[in-house]
């Protein structure tokens, strides 16, 4: 298992290229199931989760290849409509094959994802929507078995805003008979990217990016042709946090700052300076950050996927900040590790209170989930002395070459394989 050894305390300076968005890549890869033929998708990051999705699609009979950011998926040979437990348990986003399989082949057998480190994360809303569209759903030995001759359009209201739920049902609706309305839909840029990709395949979708999406089903969809996915807004935000906390000066290339308005505004309040330049977005950290409160909410609110990194910034800010996590019930796993580095944080329910200290100190720490791991990297880069981050396979699931990118801007970071 690899670990990272980081000697912190240096302001990081230079240019960082932002990779394609993991959470856009995964649903768009599953959209290939909706067509029969050769799909080509650009700007796909080289990540463990992308490899897992490739294995899942190959296991279904598709031909998958990933080279230099280009993914090709030949979906004409899909003949197995199953997502097995072994793959779903490594990556919850595997559940995104459910609706495309039912929409195109009329059946799917998909392992139910269990709980995960950050919360229970049920998929009841995905199933409720699919059932409303006419699918017969059974739960058997830990698997969801869904069948339908042809899905039909329906009006679906989400009690809770769900990103992959909206994406799954948008894919179901794209090939259904009639019109589907998704109400209280997720508005994340990744949902819009999937909608744009589906539209390029011939789908009829209106309103993606708003909370009501209307999809008029079509008889068939063409394969994806040279679709380029959006840059990763959470990777962008993580590098903003790194520039901010190290008092650094990073220019983020190929990013889309308009996907991070809430993060940019909040970081500005803490003293981080942003400048649009020809090369990209320049992010300059202050001498000392100012404490600010934050509440995570679905897009366009402050993203839960940036909560851990923001909290790390607040550990050494001037003042006390209060962070409310409202999306997931257990997303404070990084707190115990940050405290081992000297942070002063107390938690009550979904609220964390962080009293800024003068500095963090290096320590051995353990990564517990993807964004918690990222927050430990952020902490280590500003901490005095050496931090060893164990179990960084979590980080490798969602950040492309993070250690290389950091080394390139002056970080003292080493990956050790043991
Ligand atoms: N929820 C339900 N029922 C459902 C679906 C969701 O109650 O059927 C609840 C969840 O338990 C949670 C809330 O709704 O409390 C929001 O969950 P959502 O479904 O939006 O999360 P997700 O689609 O499983 C995606 C991202 C996550 C990101 C969340 C929130 C992908 C592949 N994953 O998850 O990304 O945190 O949206 O923005 O898009 C990450 O990249 O580190 C990550 C966890």
């Amino acid at each position: 298992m690899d670990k990272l050894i980081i000697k912190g305390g240096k302001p990081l300076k230079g240019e960082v290229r932002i990779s394609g968005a993991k959470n856009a890549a995964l649903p768009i890869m599953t959209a290939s199931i909706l067509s029969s033929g050769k799909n080509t998708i650009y700007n796909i990051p080289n990540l463990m989760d992308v490899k897992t999705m490739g294995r899942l699609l190959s296991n279904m009979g598709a031909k998958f290849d990933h080279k230099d950011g280009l993914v090709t998926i030949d979906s004409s040979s899909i003949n197995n409509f199953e997502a097995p437990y072994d793959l779903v348990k490594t990556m919850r986003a595997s559940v995104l094959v459910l609706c495309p399989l039912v929409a195109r082949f009329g059946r799917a057998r998909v392992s139910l994802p269990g709980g995960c480190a950050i919360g229970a994360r049920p998929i009841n809303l995905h199933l409720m929507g699919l059932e409303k569209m006419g699918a017969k759903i059974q739960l058997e030995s830990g698997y969801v078995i869904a069948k339908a001759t042809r899905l039909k359009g329906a009006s679906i209201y989400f009690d809770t805003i769900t990103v992959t739920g909206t994406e799954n049902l948008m894919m179901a609706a794209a090939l259904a008979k009639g019109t589907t309305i998704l109400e209280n839909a997720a508005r994340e840029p990744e949902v819009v990217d999937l909608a744009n990709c589906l539209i390029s395949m011939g789908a009829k979708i209106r309103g993606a990016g708003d909370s009501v999406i209307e999809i008029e089903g079509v008889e068939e969809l063409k394969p994806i042709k040279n679709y380029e996915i959006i840059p990763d807004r959470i990777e962008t935000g993580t590098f903003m946090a790194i520039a901010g906390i190290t008092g650094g000066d990073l220019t983020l290339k190929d990013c889309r700052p308009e996907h991070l308005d809430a993060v940019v505004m909040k970081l500005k309040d803490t003293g981080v300076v942003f400048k649009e330049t020809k090369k990209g977005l320049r992010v300059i950290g202050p001498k000392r950050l100012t404490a600010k409160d934050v509440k995570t909410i679905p897009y366009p609110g402050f993203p839960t996927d940036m909560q851990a990194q923001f909290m790390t910034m607040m550990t050494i800010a001037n003042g006390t900040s209060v962070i409310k996590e409202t999306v997931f019930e257990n997303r404070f796993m990084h707190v115990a590790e940050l405290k081992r580095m000297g942070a002063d944080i107390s938690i009550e329910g979904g609220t964390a209170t962080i009293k800024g200290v003068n500095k963090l100190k290096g320590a051995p720490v353990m990564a517990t989930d993807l964004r918690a791991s990222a927050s430990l990297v952020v902490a280590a880069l500003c901490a005095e002395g050496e931090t060893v981050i164990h179990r960084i396979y979590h980080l490798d699931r969602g950040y492309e070459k993070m250690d290389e990118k950091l080394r390139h801007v002056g970080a003292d970071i080493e990956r050790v394989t043991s």
Side-chain angles (χ1 to χ4, degrees):
M1 240 184 267
D2 290 6
K3 56 187 178 192
L4 285 179
I5 302 176
I6 300 176
K7 293 194 184 81
K10 281 187 178 181
L12 301 189
K13 293 189 173 151
E15 292 174 5
V16 179
R17 185 195 170 260
I18 300 301
S19 301
K22 165 181 88 79
N23 290 347
L26 299 174
I28 287 176
M29 286 166 73
T30 67
S32 67
I33 299 171
L34 293 165
S35 72
S36 175
K38 193 173 164 193
N39 297 268
T40 49
I41 317 162
Y42 282 94
N43 202 27
I44 301 279
N46 191 5
L47 301 172
M48 268 322 290
D49 274 8
V50 166
K51 286 197 176 71
T52 307
M53 186 57 86
R55 275 170 59 205
L56 180 54
L57 293 167
S58 304
N59 193 57
M60 287 175 191
K63 292 189 187 75
F64 172 83
D65 186 54
H66 186 191
K67 217 179 188 172
D68 301 330
L70 169 64
V71 154
T72 50
I73 302 162
D74 188 340
S75 53
S76 52
S77 45
I78 292 177
N79 56 8
N80 170 22
F81 314 121
E82 177 170 308
Y85 176 64
D86 276 353
L87 291 173
V88 178
K89 80 172 192 303
T90 19
M91 187 185 66
R92 303 180 58 83
S94 306
V95 78
L96 282 162
V97 302
L98 174 67
C99 288
L101 281 175
V102 180
R104 177 158 160 232
F105 298 105
R107 62 202 158 114
R109 184 170 183 270
V110 173
S111 173
L112 257 185
C116 95
I118 62 176
R121 303 181 76 180
I123 58 160
N124 58 312
L125 299 171
H126 304 225
L127 302 184
M128 170 277 293
L130 198 53
E131 219 159 23
K132 277 205 156 184
M133 295 178 78
K136 293 268 171 299
I137 294 178
Q138 282 172 286
L139 297 183
E140 210 180 275
S141 314
Y143 278 76
V144 176
I145 298 170
K147 290 186 187 148
T149 34
R150 183 170 177 201
L151 293 170
K152 52 183 196 311
S155 289
I156 297 166
Y157 170 77
F158 295 103
D159 281 323
T160 306
I161 297 178
T162 160
V163 176
T164 50
T166 302
E167 291 167 345
N168 232 341
L169 292 167
M170 200 159 67
M171 291 192 276
L175 281 183
K177 189 173 166 52
T179 300
T180 298
I181 310 279
L182 302 179
E183 293 229 26
N184 201 25
R187 300 165 63 188
E188 271 68 1
E190 294 77 17
V191 172
V192 178
D193 209 28
L194 172 65
N196 287 340
C197 175
L198 291 168
I199 290 167
S200 78
M201 297 166 78
K204 294 189 176 156
I205 302 175
R206 273 198 305 270
D210 289 331
S211 56
V212 181
I213 306 179
E214 191 182 315
I215 306 121
E216 199 187 316
V218 295
E219 294 287 326
E220 61 176 18
L221 291 171
K222 298 179 292 217
I224 305 167
K225 276 285 160 275
N226 301 336
Y227 190 79
E228 183 171 336
I229 63 158
I230 54 170
D232 198 307
R233 67 192 164 98
I234 305 301
E235 188 196 14
T236 309
T238 304
F239 277 102
M240 288 175 178
I242 289 169
I245 204 169
T246 64
D249 184 347
L250 296 179
T251 298
L252 309 182
K253 295 185 346 187
D254 298 338
C255 66
R256 296 269 295 269
E258 70 272 23
H259 290 163
L260 284 121
D261 281 347
V263 174
V264 169
M265 282 190 243
K266 193 54 81 174
L267 293 198
K268 276 184 181 167
D269 288 348
T270 68
V272 179
V273 173
F274 293 86
K275 288 184 182 163
E276 301 265 4
T277 72
K278 273 192 192 140
K279 282 190 176 164
L281 182 68
R282 216 176 132 194
V283 190
I284 305 159
K287 258 210 169 82
R288 187 161 190 202
L289 294 158
T290 304
K292 288 288 159 195
D293 299 343
V294 104
K295 182 174 170 183
T296 64
I297 29 177
Y299 194 84
F302 190 94
T304 172
D305 289 345
M306 275 300 297
Q307 178 257 109
Q309 302 89 314
F310 184 78
M311 187 185 294
T312 302
M313 293 175 79
M314 294 301 98
T315 60
I316 58 159
N318 188 16
T320 298
S321 55
V322 175
I323 299 184
K324 284 199 169 91
E325 170 61 55
T326 74
V327 179
F328 291 112
E329 64 273 23
N330 191 27
R331 218 175 191 183
F332 285 145
M333 301 282 282
H334 44 285
V335 169
E337 303 302 302
L338 291 173
K339 281 168 106 168
R340 302 187 61 251
M341 297 177 73
D344 182 348
I345 308 171
S346 54
I347 303 178
E348 208 178 311
T351 303
T353 305
I354 304 107
K355 289 191 185 135
V357 294
N358 282 333
K359 60 183 168 209
L360 295 180
K361 289 196 179 142
V365 289
M366 186 88 81
T368 47
D369 73 76
L370 173 54
R371 308 303 169 187
S373 317
S375 77
L376 297 178
V377 173
V378 177
L381 289 167
C382 78
E384 187 182 88
E386 184 177 284
T387 299
V388 182
I389 309 179
H390 297 271
R391 293 203 185 159
I392 55 153
Y393 56 84
H394 289 291
L395 194 74
D396 294 335
R397 286 187 41 210
Y399 287 87
E400 188 179 44
K401 298 184 186 149
M402 192 175 209
D403 40 334
E404 267 180 48
K405 289 184 183 184
L406 286 170
R407 209 170 297 120
H408 184 70
V409 292
D412 187 339
I413 179 168
E414 191 190 344
R415 177 182 284 258
V416 177
T417 306
S418 53

Coordinates of all heavy atoms in Angstrom, one line a residue, residues 370-404:
L370 N -11.9 9.7 0.0 CA -11.2 10.5 -1.0 C -10.9 12.0 -0.5 O -9.8 12.4 -0.5 CB -12.0 10.5 -2.2 CG -11.6 11.4 -3.4 CD1 -10.2 11.2 -3.8 CD2 -12.6 11.2 -4.6
R371 N -12.0 12.7 -0.1 CA -11.7 14.1 0.2 C -11.1 14.3 1.5 O -10.3 15.3 1.7 CB -13.1 14.9 0.1 CG -13.8 14.7 -1.2 CD -13.0 15.1 -2.4 NE -13.7 14.6 -3.7 CZ -13.2 14.7 -4.9 NH1 -12.0 15.1 -5.1 NH2 -13.9 14.3 -5.9
A372 N -11.3 13.4 2.5 CA -10.5 13.4 3.7 C -9.0 13.3 3.4 O -8.2 14.0 4.0 CB -11.0 12.3 4.6
S373 N -8.7 12.4 2.5 CA -7.3 12.2 2.1 C -6.7 13.5 1.5 O -5.6 14.0 1.9 CB -7.1 11.2 1.0 OG -7.9 10.1 1.3
A374 N -7.5 14.2 0.7 CA -7.1 15.4 0.1 C -6.8 16.5 1.2 O -5.8 17.2 1.1 CB -8.1 16.0 -0.9
S375 N -7.7 16.5 2.2 CA -7.5 17.5 3.3 C -6.3 17.2 4.1 O -5.6 18.2 4.6 CB -8.7 17.5 4.2 OG -8.7 16.4 5.1
L376 N -5.9 16.0 4.2 CA -4.6 15.7 4.9 C -3.4 16.1 4.1 O -2.4 16.6 4.6 CB -4.5 14.2 5.2 CG -5.6 13.7 6.2 CD1 -5.5 12.2 6.4 CD2 -5.6 14.4 7.5
V377 N -3.5 16.0 2.8 CA -2.4 16.5 1.9 C -2.3 18.0 2.1 O -1.2 18.6 2.3 CB -2.6 16.2 0.4 CG1 -1.6 16.8 -0.5 CG2 -2.6 14.6 0.2
V378 N -3.5 18.7 2.1 CA -3.5 20.2 2.3 C -2.8 20.5 3.6 O -2.0 21.4 3.7 CB -4.9 20.7 2.2 CG1 -4.9 22.2 2.5 CG2 -5.6 20.4 0.9
A379 N -3.2 19.7 4.7 CA -2.7 20.0 6.0 C -1.1 19.8 6.0 O -0.4 20.6 6.5 CB -3.3 19.1 7.0
A380 N -0.7 18.7 5.4 CA 0.7 18.3 5.5 C 1.6 19.4 4.8 O 2.7 19.6 5.2 CB 0.9 16.9 4.8
L381 N 1.0 20.0 3.7 CA 1.8 20.9 2.9 C 2.1 22.2 3.7 O 3.0 22.9 3.4 CB 1.1 21.3 1.6 CG 1.1 20.1 0.6 CD1 0.1 20.4 -0.5 CD2 2.4 19.9 0.0
C382 N 1.2 22.5 4.7 CA 1.5 23.7 5.5 C 2.1 23.4 6.8 O 2.5 24.3 7.6 CB 0.2 24.5 5.6 SG -0.9 23.9 6.9
A383 N 2.1 22.1 7.2 CA 2.5 21.7 8.6 C 4.0 21.8 8.7 O 4.8 21.7 7.7 CB 2.1 20.3 8.9
E384 N 4.5 22.0 10.0 CA 5.9 22.1 10.3 C 6.3 20.6 10.4 O 5.7 19.8 11.1 CB 6.1 22.8 11.6 CG 7.5 23.1 12.0 CD 7.5 23.8 13.4 OE1 7.4 23.1 14.4 OE2 7.4 25.0 13.4
G385 N 7.4 20.3 9.7 CA 8.0 18.9 9.8 C 7.3 17.9 8.9 O 6.7 18.3 7.9
E386 N 7.5 16.6 9.2 CA 7.1 15.6 8.3 C 5.8 14.9 8.6 O 5.5 14.6 9.7 CB 8.2 14.5 8.3 CG 8.0 13.4 7.3 CD 9.2 12.4 7.3 OE1 10.3 12.7 6.8 OE2 9.0 11.3 7.9
T387 N 5.0 14.8 7.6 CA 3.7 14.0 7.7 C 3.8 12.8 6.8 O 4.2 12.9 5.6 CB 2.5 14.9 7.3 OG1 2.5 16.1 8.1 CG2 1.2 14.2 7.4
V388 N 3.4 11.7 7.4 CA 3.3 10.5 6.5 C 1.8 10.1 6.4 O 1.1 10.0 7.4 CB 4.0 9.3 7.2 CG1 3.9 8.1 6.3 CG2 5.5 9.7 7.5
I389 N 1.3 10.1 5.2 CA -0.1 9.8 5.0 C -0.3 8.4 4.5 O 0.2 8.1 3.4 CB -0.8 10.8 4.0 CG1 -0.5 12.3 4.4 CG2 -2.3 10.6 3.9 CD1 -1.1 13.3 3.4
H390 N -0.9 7.6 5.3 CA -1.1 6.2 4.9 C -2.4 6.0 4.1 O -3.3 6.8 4.2 CB -1.1 5.3 6.2 CG 0.2 5.4 7.0 ND1 1.2 4.5 6.7 CD2 0.6 6.2 7.9 CE1 2.2 4.8 7.5 NE2 1.9 5.8 8.3
R391 N -2.5 4.8 3.5 CA -3.7 4.4 2.7 C -4.1 5.5 1.7 O -5.3 5.8 1.6 CB -4.9 4.3 3.7 CG -4.7 3.1 4.6 CD -6.1 2.7 5.1 NE -5.9 1.6 6.1 CZ -6.8 1.3 7.0 NH1 -7.9 1.9 7.0 NH2 -6.6 0.3 7.8
I392 N -3.1 5.9 0.9 CA -3.5 6.9 -0.1 C -4.2 6.4 -1.4 O -4.4 7.1 -2.3 CB -2.2 7.8 -0.5 CG1 -1.1 6.9 -1.0 CG2 -1.8 8.7 0.6 CD1 -0.2 7.6 -2.0
Y393 N -4.5 5.1 -1.3 CA -5.3 4.6 -2.5 C -6.6 5.4 -2.6 O -7.2 5.5 -3.7 CB -5.6 3.1 -2.4 CG -6.2 2.6 -1.1 CD1 -7.6 2.6 -1.0 CD2 -5.5 2.1 -0.1 CE1 -8.2 2.2 0.1 CE2 -6.1 1.7 1.1 CZ -7.5 1.7 1.2 OH -8.1 1.3 2.3
H394 N -7.1 5.9 -1.5 CA -8.3 6.8 -1.5 C -8.0 8.0 -2.4 O -8.9 8.4 -3.2 CB -8.7 7.3 -0.1 CG -9.2 6.2 0.7 ND1 -10.4 5.6 0.5 CD2 -8.7 5.6 1.9 CE1 -10.6 4.7 1.5 NE2 -9.6 4.7 2.3
L395 N -6.8 8.6 -2.3 CA -6.5 9.8 -3.0 C -6.4 9.4 -4.5 O -6.8 10.2 -5.4 CB -5.1 10.3 -2.5 CG -4.8 11.7 -2.9 CD1 -5.6 12.7 -2.2 CD2 -3.3 12.0 -2.6
D396 N -5.8 8.2 -4.8 CA -5.6 7.8 -6.2 C -6.9 7.5 -6.9 O -6.9 7.5 -8.1 CB -4.7 6.6 -6.2 CG -3.2 6.9 -5.7 OD1 -2.8 8.1 -5.8 OD2 -2.6 6.0 -5.2
R397 N -8.0 7.3 -6.1 CA -9.2 7.1 -6.7 C -9.7 8.3 -7.5 O -10.5 8.3 -8.5 CB -10.3 6.7 -5.7 CG -10.2 5.3 -5.1 CD -11.3 5.0 -4.2 NE -12.5 5.5 -4.9 CZ -13.6 6.0 -4.2 NH1 -13.6 5.9 -2.9 NH2 -14.6 6.4 -4.8
G398 N -9.3 9.5 -7.0 CA -10.0 10.7 -7.5 C -9.1 11.9 -7.9 O -9.5 12.9 -8.4
Y399 N -7.8 11.8 -7.6 CA -6.8 12.9 -8.0 C -5.8 12.3 -8.9 O -5.0 11.4 -8.5 CB -6.2 13.5 -6.8 CG -7.1 14.3 -6.0 CD1 -7.9 13.8 -5.0 CD2 -7.3 15.7 -6.2 CE1 -8.8 14.5 -4.2 CE2 -8.1 16.5 -5.5 CZ -8.9 15.9 -4.5 OH -9.8 16.7 -3.7
E400 N -5.7 12.9 -10.1 CA -4.7 12.4 -11.1 C -3.3 13.0 -10.8 O -3.2 14.2 -10.7 CB -5.1 12.8 -12.5 CG -4.3 12.2 -13.6 CD -4.8 12.6 -15.0 OE1 -5.1 13.8 -15.2 OE2 -4.9 11.7 -15.9
K401 N -2.4 12.1 -10.6 CA -1.0 12.5 -10.4 C -0.8 13.6 -9.4 O -0.1 14.6 -9.6 CB -0.3 12.9 -11.7 CG -0.3 11.8 -12.7 CD 0.4 12.3 -14.0 CE 0.3 11.3 -15.1 NZ 0.3 11.9 -16.4
M402 N -1.5 13.6 -8.3 CA -1.4 14.7 -7.3 C 0.0 14.9 -6.8 O 0.4 16.1 -6.8 CB -2.4 14.5 -6.2 CG -2.5 15.8 -5.4 SD -3.7 15.7 -4.1 CE -4.3 17.3 -4.0
D403 N 0.7 13.8 -6.5 CA 2.0 14.0 -6.0 C 3.0 14.7 -7.0 O 3.7 15.6 -6.7 CB 2.6 12.7 -5.4 CG 2.3 11.5 -6.2 OD1 1.3 11.5 -6.9 OD2 3.1 10.5 -6.1
E404 N 2.8 14.2 -8.3 CA 3.7 14.8 -9.4 C 3.3 16.3 -9.5 O 4.2 17.1 -9.7 CB 3.4 14.1 -10.7 CG 4.3 13.0 -11.0 CD 3.9 12.3 -12.3 OE1 3.8 13.1 -13.3 OE2 3.8 11.1 -12.3

